[in-house]
Structure formats: structure tokens, C-alpha cells
Amino acid sequence: MGDLTPTPDRPGLHISKPSPNAPAQGSAVCHCGASATATGDNQVRLLVQGWEANHGSAHAEG
């Protein structure tokens, strides 16, 4: 499998959690230029919520 990390050329949201005991990691890049990373289950949860509220599908609605 190739690298799934989002880039400006391939915007998106990528979350990983290699094991139940490991902290989640996430990264997001939007076609509008915004980007963010997070480490830790709670921080990744906030990253996903922010992505859904302000980027990703939110851009499709506007």
C-alpha cells in the first residue's frame, strides 16, 4: 500500500492507530491550503471534528 498521507496535490484526512495501546495520529490537508496534524486520541478526535466542520465535505456544501 502506498503512502496515504494527504498532500496539497491529494488533499484529505488520514488517521492511523497502529494498536489499541498506541496513540492515534492524524493529518489533514485541504484544497483551500489549510493543513493540520494531531497526535493522541483526543487531539485526533478534535482534528476530525474540525475537518468535518470547516473543510472536506463542508466545502462541497458551499
Side-chain angles (χ1 to χ4, degrees), residues 18-59:
S19 74
N21 297 325
Q25 294 184 336
S27 59
V29 176
C30 185
H31 62 85
C32 73
S35 64
T37 60
T39 300
D41 295 1
N42 289 331
Q43 294 300 315
V44 170
R45 188 175 295 113
L46 293 172
L47 174 69
V48 172
Q49 290 172 352
W51 172 263
E52 280 301 311
N54 302 300
H55 302 285
S57 60
H59 283 301

